[in-house]
């Protein structure tokens, strides 16, 4: 891990992050838990919410990351715990950042760049990423054999989640309720070197299906 942190301003040139008390503490906590270098950019949210776009660069392969995850050494998640409602260190650090600044601070998008793939997770309701990241990582572990085509090919990008085009557009397709967290575990978008376009992974059937009726959430 490098000895410096990167904090970028948003596209409008407004460096909101320097106004957030405790931001470097949050960033260092994130880098420590994920053994990563990090880049943070700001996106203006609704009302008094500041949204962050996080990018983590990890010097692990996906299999190495999942090994450390299952041992409780990556992301500081205890995937074997029975207390599924317990807040993760990531979630706690973000809430502490919000409290310290007397404003809502949320994660709009998180990218984890590994040596062999990138995981891109997009917000679908308030605090959905810190709330569900541990479950998403555990689900990647559980589905690893299936979305890697029986361990024959690693996707170079994994998008979580994607939605059917027949649903209403993103703004109305998901809500701010906890019920929407199940949307993270329906369909993922995968990019393989052997395919020109993205393919869709159906988590319920654990199969790769036709992608024509789906769109990537972050497009």
């Amino acid at each position: 891990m490098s000895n410096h942190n990167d904090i970028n301003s948003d596209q409008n040139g407004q460096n909101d992050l320097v106004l957030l008390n405790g931001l470097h503490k949050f960033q260092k906590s994130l880098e420590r838990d994920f053994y990563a270098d990090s880049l943070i950019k700001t996106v203006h949210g609704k009302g008094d919410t500041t949204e962050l776009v996080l990018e983590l660069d990890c010097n692990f392969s996906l299999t190495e990351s999942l090994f450390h995850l299952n041992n409780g050494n990556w992301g500081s998640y205890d995937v074997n715990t029975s207390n599924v409602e317990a807040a993760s260190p990531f979630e706690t650090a973000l809430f502490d950042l919000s409290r310290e600044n007397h404003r809502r601070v949320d994660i709009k998008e998180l990218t984890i760049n590994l040596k062999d793939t990138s995981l891109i997770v997009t917000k679908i309701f308030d605090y959905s990423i810190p709330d569900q990241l541990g479950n998403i990582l555990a689900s990647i572990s559980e589905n690893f054999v299936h979305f890697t085509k029986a361990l024959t090919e690693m996707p170079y990008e994994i998008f979580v989640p994607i939605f059917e085009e027949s649903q209403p557009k993103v703004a109305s397709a998901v809500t701010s309720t906890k019920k929407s967290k199940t949307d993270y575990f329906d369909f993922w978008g995968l990019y393989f070197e052997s395919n020109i376009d993205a393919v869709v992974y159906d988590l319920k059937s654990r199969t790769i299906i036709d992608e024509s009726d789906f769109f990537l959430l972050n497009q």
Side-chain angles (χ1 to χ4, degrees), residues 173-191:
V174 294
T175 69
S176 60
T177 64
K178 286 189 177 181
K179 185 177 181 181
S180 295
K181 65 186 178 183
T182 58
D183 290 328
Y184 277 129
F185 308 101
D186 289 333
F187 304 106
W188 296 346
L190 309 176
Y191 277 97

Side-chain angles (χ1 to χ4, degrees), residues 13 52 58 74 91 105 127 136 150 160-161 172 185 188 192 206 218:
L52 308 180
C58 303
W74 188 66
E91 192 174 7
V105 182
Y127 296 108
I136 291 169
V160 181
S172 58
F185 308 101
W188 296 346
F192 291 97
R206 295 191 171 186
N218 71 328

Side-chain angles (χ1 to χ4, degrees), residues 65-201:
S65 298
L66 296 178
F67 173 79
H68 293 301
L69 173 74
N70 290 325
N71 285 321
N73 298 322
W74 188 66
S76 296
Y77 290 103
D78 185 356
V79 296
N80 299 311
T81 183
S82 59
N83 185 10
V84 296
E85 296 300 324
S88 68
F90 178 26
E91 192 174 7
T92 299
L94 185 64
F95 288 156
D96 288 345
L97 185 64
S98 297
R99 282 195 295 267
E100 189 167 349
N101 289 277
H102 306 288
R103 63 191 302 180
R104 294 168 65 90
V105 182
D106 201 354
I107 310 300
K108 183 176 180 64
E109 184 177 279
L110 169 66
T111 298
I112 302 177
N113 294 315
L114 301 167
K115 291 195 296 185
D116 51 1
T117 192
S118 292
L119 170 65
I120 299 95
V121 184
T122 307
K123 172 183 174 178
I124 58 174
F125 59 89
D126 289 346
Y127 296 108
S128 63
I129 293 178
D131 180 60
Q132 289 300 307
L133 183 58
N135 292 330
I136 291 169
L137 294 175
S139 187
I140 288 175
S141 181
E142 293 168 2
N143 287 271
F144 182 78
V145 172
H146 304 285
F147 70 72
T148 57
K149 304 177 181 180
L151 304 179
T152 63
E153 188 175 9
M154 177 73 70
Y156 64 85
E157 288 183 340
I158 305 169
F159 288 87
V160 181
I162 60 173
F163 293 92
E164 293 180 85
E165 288 185 324
S166 59
Q167 292 183 357
K169 293 302 181 181
V170 175
S172 58
V174 294
T175 69
S176 60
T177 64
K178 286 189 177 181
K179 185 177 181 181
S180 295
K181 65 186 178 183
T182 58
D183 290 328
Y184 277 129
F185 308 101
D186 289 333
F187 304 106
W188 296 346
L190 309 176
Y191 277 97
F192 291 97
E193 294 289 350
S194 61
N195 296 87
I196 296 176
D197 298 318
V199 299
V200 173
Y201 179 71

